[in-house]
């Protein structure tokens, strides 16, 4: 494993383990810095989202990942080197964890296709989904569809600003770009 791909591999592995029910997710809260219009997500201590509490009714815990069907919805065109590495890291982590039923899709930067891809993976029997949203808004129809079918969604990269934590998504992993820029500016 190269150092360059290690964070993405760890991300993929941590998501798969989380779907297995061995991890809890911290509650999500939005924060807005007074000096910026940038909205970032902060994870706070306290309430957690678990398979038992997700969507108010809970979802089945995936006991055996080797028997599970996991879906990964990539949002952007696979010409982007980051997206290529992100998709490959999900595939590699799935293989390392023995997940043989991995469904992957690419929306090619088309929001309507991403909605269709997410709903399609649910219809194909996905037990859980990992999505890399194209936009921070606009996936409500797909999120609600998955929730209503008891398929938890874990988001990566972009935070869903209109979605409700532990109702339409079970967890999120991403970067606080405002904080990264602030630190870079301070270093200059």
């Amino acid at each position: 494993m190269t150092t360059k791909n290690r964070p993405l591999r760890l991300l993929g592995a941590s998501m798969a383990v989380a779907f297995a029910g061995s991890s809890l997710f911290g509650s999500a809260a939005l924060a807005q810095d007074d000096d910026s219009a940038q909205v970032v997500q902060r994870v706070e201590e306290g309430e957690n989202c678990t398979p038992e509490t997700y969507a108010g009714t809970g979802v089945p815990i995936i006991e055996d990942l080797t028997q599970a069907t996991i879906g990964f919805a990539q949002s952007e065109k696979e010409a982007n080197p980051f997206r290529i590495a992100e998709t490959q890291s999900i595939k590699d982590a799935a293989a390392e964890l023995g997940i043989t039923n991995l469904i992957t899709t690419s929306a090619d930067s088309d929001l309507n296709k991403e909605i269709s891809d997410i709903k399609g993976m649910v219809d194909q029997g996905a037990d859980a989904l990992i999505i890399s949203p194209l936009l921070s808004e606009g996936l409500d129809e797909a999120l609600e569809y998955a929730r209503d079918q008891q398929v938890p969604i874990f988001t990566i990269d972009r935070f869903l600003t209109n979605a409700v934590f532990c109702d339409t998504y079970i967890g999120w992993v991403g970067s606080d770009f405002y904080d990264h820029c602030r630190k870079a500016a301070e270093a200059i």
Side-chain angles (χ1 to χ4, degrees), residues 152-172:
I153 291 181
F154 195 94
T155 65
I156 60 174
D157 192 21
R158 290 183 182 92
F159 176 66
L160 299 170
T161 56
N162 286 342
V164 178
F165 174 69
C166 210
D167 180 58
T168 53
Y169 72 102
I170 199 166
W172 171 77

Side-chain angles (χ1 to χ4, degrees), residues 39-63:
V39 177
V40 296
Q41 181 186 25
R42 306 259 188 236
V43 177
E44 299 176 358
E45 297 293 324
E47 181 183 349
N48 291 307
C49 187
T50 67
E52 295 83 8
T53 61
Y54 181 67
T57 59
V59 293
I61 295 174
I62 300 171
E63 299 287 345

Side-chain angles (χ1 to χ4, degrees), residues 18-178:
F19 280 128
S22 60
S23 293
L24 300 177
F25 303 100
S27 62
L30 289 177
Q32 185 167 349
D33 190 288
D34 293 334
D35 298 324
S36 169
Q38 173 73 27
V39 177
V40 296
Q41 181 186 25
R42 306 259 188 236
V43 177
E44 299 176 358
E45 297 293 324
E47 181 183 349
N48 291 307
C49 187
T50 67
E52 295 83 8
T53 61
Y54 181 67
T57 59
V59 293
I61 295 174
I62 300 171
E63 299 287 345
D64 184 359
L65 286 174
T66 65
Q67 300 300 310
T69 300
I70 305 295
F72 174 60
Q74 180 58 268
S75 59
E76 294 181 29
K77 295 181 180 188
E78 294 279 333
N80 177 336
F82 175 81
R83 297 299 172 193
I84 293 168
E86 183 178 57
T87 298
Q88 189 60 51
S89 73
I90 296 292
K91 290 177 179 179
D92 292 346
E96 288 173 18
L97 293 166
I99 298 170
T100 57
N101 300 318
L102 178 68
I103 305 168
T104 61
T105 63
S106 177
D108 295 326
S109 301
D110 180 335
L111 181 63
N112 290 323
K113 184 169 181 337
E114 187 170 29
I115 291 168
S116 176
D117 288 347
I118 292 167
K119 291 170 76 174
M121 288 187 291
V122 169
D123 290 342
Q124 291 176 60
D127 297 301
L129 299 175
I130 302 164
I131 66 169
S132 177
L134 178 62
L135 303 170
S136 295
E137 299 176 347
L139 289 175
D140 298 343
E141 175 186 343
L143 298 174
E144 291 166 4
Y145 185 80
R147 178 202 57 211
D148 292 347
Q149 300 300 314
Q150 291 192 306
V151 177
I153 291 181
F154 195 94
T155 65
I156 60 174
D157 192 21
R158 290 183 182 92
F159 176 66
L160 299 170
T161 56
N162 286 342
V164 178
F165 174 69
C166 210
D167 180 58
T168 53
Y169 72 102
I170 199 166
W172 171 77
V173 172
S175 294
D176 181 342
F177 293 115
Y178 177 79

